[in-house]
Amino acid sequence: MTFNFQFFLLITLLCTTTTTTTVAQPAQAPGPPAPTNITKILEKASQFTTLIRLFSITKVGDQINTQLNNSKQGMTVFAPTDNAFSSLSAGTLNSLSDQQKDELIQFHVIPTFISTSQFQTLSNPLRTQAGDSTTYNFPLNMTSSGNQVNLTTGVVNATVENPVYTDGSLAVYQVDKVLLPMSLFGPQPPAAAPSPQTQKEKKKKAGDEDTTATGDSKANSSRRIGLRWALHGLMNGVIAFIVMYYL
């Protein structure tokens, strides 16, 4: 058998070749989630241009972001669409002062997280960021029937159409109308009835005025009578003088 030197060399080369093994690097842990930003959420959803502008003007958007990142209660926003704002009477927003615009937007924000499963168990009126929820101020009531959820302010009735965003901390729900609060757009509260003490004071004042008027009337009457007697005496004196002169 003939020895094949080339074959032997090839086998030797293959056996002595060093094999390099690549060690896989461990995957990096994901970074912390980005802080919630209500403006970016609405921008991504589109059709909320007017609400985004009002969030910016009133700084309510910044307040929501700050509260979300520093509170465990969460928040809920009822977001009117651009069409909802367009349906308002012309000049409605422009007629409001900066403070009133702030109150209007705060009225759309609930300082707690509300899931869709909680709609039927909520107690009315809902507490909004606008403050006082009594009648003639900022009452907001929710009613639920089947799959339909309605909101009423005493001025307007709106429908919750669909969730825009929810993450367990922030819930954003689209509504078909701007929520107009009683304090800004409703009738003014009736004037308070006067207290019994006030009524007594008015009667006493009226009585004093009547007494003064009566006294003045009597004094005027006495002066008129005295004047008549003085004139009567003067006429008698003149007549007596004429008679004595001609006699």
Side-chain angles (χ1 to χ4, degrees):
M1 183 173 58
T2 305
F3 178 79
N4 191 330
F5 180 78
Q6 291 181 346
F7 177 78
F8 173 80
L9 183 62
L10 179 60
I11 296 298
T12 304
L13 181 63
L14 290 175
C15 291
T16 58
T17 300
T18 304
T19 304
T20 304
T21 304
T22 303
V23 179
Q25 297 295 323
Q28 293 184 349
T36 303
N37 188 301
I38 183 65
T39 300
K40 291 183 178 180
I41 291 171
L42 293 176
E43 287 176 346
K44 185 177 180 180
S46 70
Q47 67 178 337
F48 296 104
T49 305
T50 304
L51 182 59
I52 292 172
R53 179 170 61 85
L54 289 171
F55 271 152
S56 176
I57 292 173
T58 61
K59 306 301 182 184
V60 172
D62 293 337
Q63 294 175 18
I64 292 174
N65 296 334
T66 299
Q67 288 182 242
L68 282 172
N69 295 312
N70 293 279
S71 173
K72 295 182 179 180
Q73 293 184 329
M75 306 194 79
T76 300
V77 176
F78 294 113
T81 62
D82 291 333
N83 288 335
F85 280 103
S86 298
S87 66
L88 293 174
S89 301
T92 297
L93 293 179
N94 291 334
S95 67
L96 300 178
S97 66
D98 290 343
Q99 179 179 346
Q100 289 173 329
K101 288 177 182 177
D102 183 80
E103 291 175 343
L104 173 64
I105 299 306
Q106 296 278 17
F107 189 55
H108 291 72
V109 182
I110 310 297
T112 55
F113 174 80
I114 303 175
S115 65
T116 54
S117 61
Q118 294 176 295
F119 284 162
Q120 297 186 12
T121 60
L122 291 173
S123 297
N124 289 317
L126 301 180
R127 183 169 64 91
T128 71
Q129 289 282 80
D132 192 347
S133 59
T134 59
T135 304
Y136 297 110
N137 286 296
F138 296 95
L140 179 62
N141 295 291
M142 175 180 286
T143 57
S144 178
S145 177
N147 294 326
Q148 181 169 327
V149 179
N150 296 324
L151 296 169
T152 178
T153 71
V155 178
V156 66
N157 297 321
T159 300
V160 178
E161 295 186 327
N162 58 270
V164 176
Y165 176 88
T166 181
D167 61 4
S169 179
L170 172 66
V172 181
Y173 298 102
Q174 178 178 316
V175 292
D176 65 341
K177 293 181 182 178
V178 180
L179 305 180
L180 304 178
M182 287 276 284
S183 177
L184 301 180
F185 299 94
Q188 295 300 309
S195 64
Q197 183 66 28
T198 303
Q199 291 179 334
K200 289 181 180 179
E201 291 176 355
K202 287 183 177 180
K203 289 182 179 179
K204 181 179 179 181
K205 184 177 180 181
D208 292 342
E209 291 176 352
D210 290 344
T211 301
T212 301
T214 301
D216 292 343
S217 179
K218 289 182 178 180
N220 291 335
S221 178
S222 299
R223 284 196 290 270
R224 287 196 294 271
I225 292 173
L227 181 61
R228 284 200 297 269
W229 279 106
L231 291 174
H232 181 71
L234 179 61
M235 290 297 295
N236 287 339
V238 172
I239 293 172
F241 174 78
I242 294 172
V243 171
M244 291 178 62
Y245 179 79
Y246 284 102
L247 292 178

